[in-house]
Amino acid sequence: MRINKQFYKDFNFYFYMLFIVLWIKPLIDAENGYELTYCLVFLVGAIIATLLTIFKNK
């Protein structure tokens, strides 16, 4: 895989990074296993989407 050197011009990169930042606080404040799992799934999904944006082949 090659790094997309223009990833910072892609709106999706900033959208997914915002998603990561917004899901960290709920993950820390999760009170039970259900909330922890829910937040963790969305956080991991956002991290994967961000990495796919960075390593997108163009």
Side-chain angles (χ1 to χ4, degrees):
M1 292 173 78
R2 293 174 34 181
I3 294 178
N4 177 13
K5 293 184 171 96
Q6 301 295 322
F7 71 88
Y8 60 89
K9 292 183 179 179
D10 191 358
F11 172 75
N12 289 336
F13 172 73
Y14 295 106
F15 179 74
Y16 297 138
M17 286 300 292
L18 179 65
F19 222 76
I20 290 172
V21 170
L22 293 177
W23 277 105
I24 289 175
K25 176 91 169 100
L27 182 68
I28 294 170
D29 294 340
E31 295 180 1
N32 57 35
Y34 174 74
E35 289 179 3
L36 182 69
T37 304
Y38 187 80
C39 295
L40 193 60
V41 165
F42 278 99
L43 184 63
V44 169
I47 291 170
I48 291 170
T50 303
L51 290 174
L52 287 175
T53 302
I54 291 173
F55 292 108
K56 188 188 312 180
N57 291 330
K58 275 199 167 187

